[in-house]
Structures are given as C-alpha cells and as structure tokens.
Amino acid sequence: MELQNFTIKQINRGLKAKEFSAKELTLAYFDKIKKTDNEIGAYLGLSENLALKQAELSDEKIKNNEEISELAGVPCGIKDNILVEGEKCTCASRMLENYIASYDAGCIKKLKESGAVILGKTNLDEFAFGSSCENSAFKVTKNPHDLSCVSGGSSGGSAAAVASDQACFALGTDTGCSVRTPASFCGVVGLKTTYGSVSRSGVIASASSLDQVGPLAKNVEDAEIIFNAISGKDPKDATSVEFKYEKLTKEKPFIIGVPREFFGKGLSKDVEKIIKNTITKIEDQGFKIQEISLPSTDFALACYYIIQTSEASANLARFDGIRYGFSKRDKENLLDVYMASRGQGFGIETKRRIMLGTYSLSSGYYDAYYKKAQEVRLLIKQDFINAFAKVDLIIGPVTPFPAFKIGEKASDPLSMYLADIYTVPINLAGVPAMSLPVGKIGKLPVGLQIIANHFEENKIFNIASIIEKIV
Amino acid sequence: MLSKEEVLKIAKLARLELSEKEVETMQKDLSAVLDYFEILKKIDTSNVKLENKDILDIEKITRKDEVLFENNKTNDWLLNQASDKKDDYIKVKAIL
C-alpha cells in the first residue's frame, strides 16, 4: 500500500469504496514504522493492540454500511505527554519511564469516539521543554528531510511521523512553539489552537496558562478536520470554553497584517526571502497587506521564559518519587527521597527550567521577575487586541532559521530559547496560529506563521487553504 | 554570575539534588538567562493593573466540591503507580 501523501480525505474515500480495510491500512503503517523509524526516531512506543481494535471497529461499521466519521480508521500518532488509557505516558522522561495512563485525555476521548486509530506515542523534549526534540531522555528525533538536522520541538516526534508517512496525522502540544516549530522544520501543517478551545484534561502540564493541544497534518483540510473533532468544552478542564467550530465556506477579503518586529535582526536572509515572496503572492490574490506594529515583541521572549519556567516549576512539584514515577527510596528521610528522586529522574533542561522558575518565584525576586512578566504579558496581549482591531490576520515567519544541525545549540540554552522569538507572543496572548509550509532552503522546509484573533481558527484555515495552492 | 551557594539554595527550594558538575552548569546557564531577563527593566509597566482575569479572561471557574467521575478501576490504577503502599494507602518515610 502506498502511504505517501495519504490524507484523511483520501483514506476516508478509500475505506468507503472498500479499496482497503482500516486493519490493512493500520498494518501498513506499522510496517512502514518498522522499516523507517529506526533511522528517524519519531516513536517512543507503539500501541498495536489498541490500534487494531480501533481499526476493526471501523471495519465493522463499514461492513454494516453504518455512517463513519471522517477520522474513522485514520492512523495517527500522539505526543507522549497526552494520556491514552492503558498505554505508557513517559513525557520522554526517566521520571515517567514506566508510568501507565489511567484514563484518556479529553482530546483522546474525542479522537477515539471519532474512530481514529492510535498507532503509538511520539517523542518530545522531556516534559515538552525544548525547541529541537534533543532533550528527550530516550532519543533524538531526526528531521526526515535531512537526518543530520533536528526535527524541531517539542513535538518533534509528531511532526517527523507525519512528514515521513509514519502517521496520517498527529497530535502535539504547544506551550511556546512546540507544534509550530517542528511543523515548520518538518514541512507539515501545525496549528497552535486558541487557549481554551481544546481540553487540557489528561495532558501532562508544562505551563498551564500557555499549554494547548493542536494537530499536525499533511495539509490544511486535514488539520481543520482534526481541530473540529478535538475542540470544545470539557467539564474536566475548567479553562476550556463552550466552542463549536464553524467553517468559513466562502473566500473572504481579509486584511492581512505584517508585523515589522518579526523582520528584524536575527531573521535569516533565506527565511526572510521565502516569507516575503509568499506575502507578494498573497497580495497578488487580491488580499490587502498592511504593515503593523506589535511593539512589545522584543520583550516577549524574556516574559515567556519567566512565566513558563515559573508555572513549570510549580507543576513539576508533583513528581516527588512518592505517588508515581521514578523513586529513590533507599534514603533516610522524606526530604532525601524527594531530592534524590527528582535529581536523578529529571534531565538537565528540566532541572534548568525548574531552577529558573523557582528563582523567579522566590522571595525577594518575585516582583522583579514573575510579577513584572505578568504585567508585560498584558501589554503583549494588548498589542494583539490593537492589531486585530485593524486587520483580520497576521502573518510572518515561524522561526528565524530553518532546522539546525543536531548538537548545534545543545550546549547553549539561551541560543536555543531564541529560536522561539516569533512563536511565544502567540501563547502569551492566547491566540491561535498555524505553521504552513511555504518553501524550502535546500532540503529544509520553511513555514509561514498565520495568526488570528481568539477562536478565529476558521479565518486561518480559510486563508491557509488559499495560500497552500499558490506556493 | 550566580554563586555556588545561591545555586544550592534554589536547588534546595526546588527539591533537586544536583551533582557538582551540574551546579557549575547551572551557575553558568542560569546566569546567562537571568542576564537576558534584565531586558524587562526597559519596558514601562507602571500603568498596568494586574487582575487575574486579565490574563485568561476567565472570571469564575469554580464548581461544587463533589465526585463527578468516580471510577474504582481508576482508584486502583492510581494506587498501583505509587512506589510503596499499604492497603489503600500510599506509604512514605517517617516525617517526624
């Protein structure tokens, strides 16, 4: 079976026309994974029993001529910080190496109801802390377009699985860049969803005011189908919002803003050229392009890393070696059990972030760091409110450069953080943004970032499906 | 640069055991990032009034304190993840 470029729609047609069964399709994907994943390293574990059971359910429905949803029988990969009942959920950490999920995450429940087939759990930076997928405790996920380069992070396994036909689509999470950067580096469509649009129940928390689940897919239409399936209110996530996705069916005369702060120092000339060429092509389609300003952009990265690490340090306090996870019990007292379990269970970047967050929240530093960052966050959010009073959408680069060499930035955390300069303002403001592949530098893909106002994913999908055809 | 003592103090607050080499790495890495954070001194926030609802636009997210999703299977599963237990209790080292 030829899996290359298999989309959700094509699979749906094939299943309905009985060209292949969901089980055959699932087995074909497992076959592909076994052939190519040794090299790429997208998966941490496969859920073969679960996948075949789901596939057989869809086949049964097709056999009985029952209605099936568009996702029925469609094989996908799930980032390994999202709980799938009965399967390991490691967060790519020694801390959770043997942890088995006791329930389904909200988004997984919805995927299972739609009939999607979960092939396995995909690699990430430990606890989703990173922009390259090099911080996994288990392996580095390589870029399918150039194996010497990173896949991007933290949802590198999800992006690489889709890019290498080891899954038709995947779910990732995005706290500061983690769906969009790997989507850009691996040349797939990735959507960071509006804060509150998709349930965070069952998603192992990195930074709770920033985390969102989002799809990684072969094309815009697929991403839209997945977003439609996983979004909506979940009583188990108090921050999720009553929301029903409504597709925009007609082309709209959008006004598109281009923030000048996204084209400053640090942006690679090659990326700039591709983004500017794309903007010209969009203008040629009759859309009005308008230069705008997001004046607080220069402060977003510092603001983000204070808030992200502060929330993460609090969230990761739960890993104490007592209730679950890695435990060093051969100690005299409780404090030593905590210290040793955490010291030996966490990797270096996780420790760095816990330390930074603890510092920002500690007595004497709180006002200068955490409180100040919260104030700056409001200014950044206000920038977007002001911008969306004038324009419908905002476009710009996703990252300042394409995928870099494995190891290139590993020893310098600050240079790694700088990769997130155009993606973190979006999480701070809570708005949605997509990475859409629009060009290549040599073998390496480059994504265009398309940003909309809260809960206006439909505008992103509408324009992205037009841009997809002209690049 | 952060001193060794400062790093160890934060590590203790964070309940993290660090090797000697890790302490050195943290001194260097944390100092570089904290220096970068200094950029926030350049932005005036004197007019910003912080209220919790401003950040997430969520004012009231409370519910009645009652068990909504009771499931005995889940209880067992959760208990079995603990490193040590006795009956239906998770066992820890003596605290006092």
Side-chain angles (χ1 to χ4, degrees):
Chain A
M1 199 180 300
E2 192 56 65
L3 302 176
Q4 210 182 355
N5 300 323
F6 239 159
T7 65
I8 293 172
K9 275 277 165 79
Q10 282 164 349
I11 288 175
N12 187 254
R13 274 196 292 269
L15 288 172
K16 280 182 173 164
K18 301 197 168 82
E19 286 163 23
F20 46 80
S21 71
K23 191 174 172 182
E24 283 166 351
L25 183 71
T26 300
L27 290 171
Y29 272 97
F30 281 128
D31 208 38
K32 169 81 179 153
I33 292 166
K34 278 162 199 166
K35 274 192 199 125
T36 55
D37 206 42
N38 271 341
E39 207 168 49
I40 292 167
Y43 283 93
L44 289 174
L46 299 178
S47 46
E48 290 176 87
N49 291 339
L50 172 70
L52 290 173
K53 212 173 82 190
Q54 284 286 105
E56 279 163 8
L57 278 174
S58 288
D59 283 336
E60 195 63 29
K61 282 191 175 167
I62 295 164
K63 206 177 100 194
N64 298 335
N65 290 319
E66 287 174 49
E67 267 303 302
I68 56 164
S69 89
E70 278 174 311
L71 285 174
V74 180
C76 64
I78 305 294
K79 188 179 183 179
D80 204 22
N81 61 349
I82 302 174
L83 304 189
V84 176
E85 188 181 308
E87 303 296 328
K88 272 192 189 176
C89 194
T90 70
C91 261
S93 178
R94 294 271 172 230
M95 181 58 85
L96 291 175
E97 194 168 4
N98 297 308
Y99 180 76
I100 295 170
S102 56
Y103 64 98
D104 280 329
C107 56
I108 297 302
K109 223 170 168 178
K110 288 189 178 225
L111 273 191
K112 281 185 176 173
E113 279 161 14
S114 73
V117 171
I118 295 168
L119 298 170
K121 306 298 292 291
T122 54
N123 198 18
L124 62 151
D125 288 294
E126 183 178 16
F127 287 101
F129 299 154
S131 315
S132 68
C133 214
E134 291 168 287
N135 294 331
S136 165
F138 305 115
K139 55 176 149 182
V140 175
T141 299
K142 294 173 183 148
N143 193 309
H145 297 275
D146 179 344
L147 296 173
S148 69
C149 289
V150 300
S151 54
S154 64
S155 315
S158 290
V162 175
S164 59
D165 302 309
Q166 299 189 118
C168 175
F169 74 90
L171 292 187
T173 58
D174 193 317
T175 305
C177 69
S178 287
V179 164
R180 289 159 292 157
T181 294
S184 178
F185 285 6
C186 292
V188 300
V189 176
L191 179 75
K192 183 264 167 201
T193 57
T194 303
Y195 189 82
S197 65
V198 180
S199 169
R200 290 181 298 109
S201 163
V203 179
I204 296 178
S206 156
S208 305
S209 78
L210 301 159
D211 297 343
Q212 274 291 295
V213 174
L216 294 110
K218 291 272 185 195
N219 63 18
V220 175
E221 187 180 42
D222 282 6
E224 189 173 22
I225 292 169
I226 303 154
F227 178 66
N228 186 34
I230 63 174
S231 56
K233 176 82 182 164
D234 178 355
K236 289 185 183 174
D237 173 5
T239 59
S240 69
V241 172
E242 289 292 350
F243 169 72
K244 177 85 192 78
Y245 179 68
E246 276 173 46
K247 188 183 169 79
L248 291 178
T249 45
K250 288 205 183 86
E251 291 187 10
K252 305 273 178 191
F254 293 131
I255 301 170
I256 296 165
V258 178
R260 70 177 77 96
E261 291 82 1
F262 279 33
F263 294 85
K265 213 178 80 199
L267 178 61
S268 105
K269 287 275 163 269
D270 292 332
V271 172
E272 184 174 357
K273 206 171 129 197
I274 290 173
I275 300 299
K276 291 214 160 143
N277 276 344
T278 308
I279 294 172
T280 308
K281 285 180 190 167
I282 298 168
E283 202 168 14
D284 291 344
Q285 294 293 305
F287 292 101
K288 193 177 165 210
I289 305 286
Q290 191 178 318
E291 192 184 85
I292 60 162
S293 174
L294 299 168
S296 309
T297 301
D298 287 349
F299 304 99
L301 199 70
C303 171
Y304 170 82
Y305 272 96
I306 291 171
I307 292 172
Q308 195 279 334
T309 57
S310 296
E311 291 187 20
S313 72
N315 275 328
L316 269 65
R318 74 192 62 180
F319 300 104
D320 54 7
I322 305 291
R323 289 162 299 162
Y324 38 72
F326 179 82
S327 182
K328 287 299 283 181
R329 297 191 49 78
D330 50 344
K331 297 285 161 192
E332 282 295 302
N333 60 50
L334 191 61
L335 181 64
D336 289 345
V337 174
Y338 293 156
M339 302 279 289
S341 300
R342 292 163 63 77
Q344 293 170 43
F346 290 138
I348 189 71
E349 176 62 14
T350 301
K351 289 184 199 172
R352 228 182 255 131
R353 298 221 185 182
I354 293 173
M355 293 284 286
L356 276 170
T358 306
Y359 185 87
S360 297
L361 292 173
S362 65
S363 169
Y365 297 101
Y366 178 88
D367 282 348
Y369 290 96
Y370 185 72
K371 184 160 169 273
K372 178 81 182 188
Q374 290 288 12
E375 289 165 354
V376 175
R377 183 175 185 177
L378 274 188
L379 295 177
I380 290 163
K381 197 177 162 190
Q382 193 59 46
D383 279 359
F384 282 92
I385 293 171
N386 296 344
F388 286 121
K390 290 183 232 141
V391 300
D392 296 292
L393 292 154
I394 297 171
I395 56 175
V398 178
T399 52
F401 33 71
F404 42 88
K405 294 281 178 202
I406 291 169
E408 190 182 315
K409 295 181 190 296
S411 61
D412 182 358
L414 189 58
S415 80
M416 184 76 86
Y417 296 172
L418 287 166
D420 307 342
I421 197 145
Y422 308 129
T423 49
V424 296
I426 281 72
N427 302 70
L428 290 168
V431 294
M434 175 184 279
S435 173
L436 178 74
V438 290
K440 273 188 174 182
I441 301 168
K443 288 188 275 186
L444 296 171
V446 172
L448 172 77
Q449 187 167 216
I450 311 172
I451 308 157
N453 210 345
H454 298 102
F455 300 104
E456 293 189 343
E457 277 84 351
N458 52 6
K459 286 187 180 171
I460 296 180
F461 287 122
N462 189 287
I463 192 91
S465 62
I466 296 166
I467 302 171
E468 191 176 43
K469 291 187 199 103
I470 58 172
V471 289
Chain B
M1 192 151 101
L2 287 180
S3 68
K4 215 171 167 175
E5 290 68 35
E6 282 173 297
V7 167
L8 287 170
K9 186 186 155 214
I10 306 162
K12 177 96 187 283
L13 285 172
R15 301 287 188 258
L16 282 176
E17 178 187 272
L18 297 179
S19 69
E20 218 153 287
K21 196 167 157 272
E22 282 177 325
V23 172
E24 274 174 38
T25 308
M26 291 294 174
Q27 278 183 271
K28 185 169 71 70
D29 292 352
L30 299 190
S31 301
V33 178
L34 291 171
D35 284 347
Y36 180 76
F37 287 170
E38 292 292 305
I39 192 176
L40 293 190
K41 287 196 174 140
K42 289 192 203 151
I43 184 167
D44 178 17
T45 53
S46 53
N47 291 325
V48 179
K49 300 245 175 321
L50 269 188
E51 284 175 56
N52 193 36
K53 73 172 176 68
D54 287 330
I55 304 293
L56 298 176
D57 284 326
I58 296 162
E59 282 184 65
K60 192 178 166 196
I61 43 173
T62 56
R63 65 168 176 84
K64 278 193 180 154
D65 186 18
E66 56 193 15
V67 180
L68 290 180
F69 313 105
E70 196 167 19
N71 183 340
N72 285 331
K73 190 184 74 181
T74 307
N75 293 350
D76 289 345
W77 217 325
L78 290 174
L79 273 171
N80 285 333
Q81 307 265 5
S83 56
D84 198 5
K85 59 170 191 147
K86 191 178 181 206
D87 303 326
D88 276 352
Y89 294 92
I90 291 171
K91 210 171 143 187
V92 296
K93 297 272 172 198
I95 295 167
L96 292 172

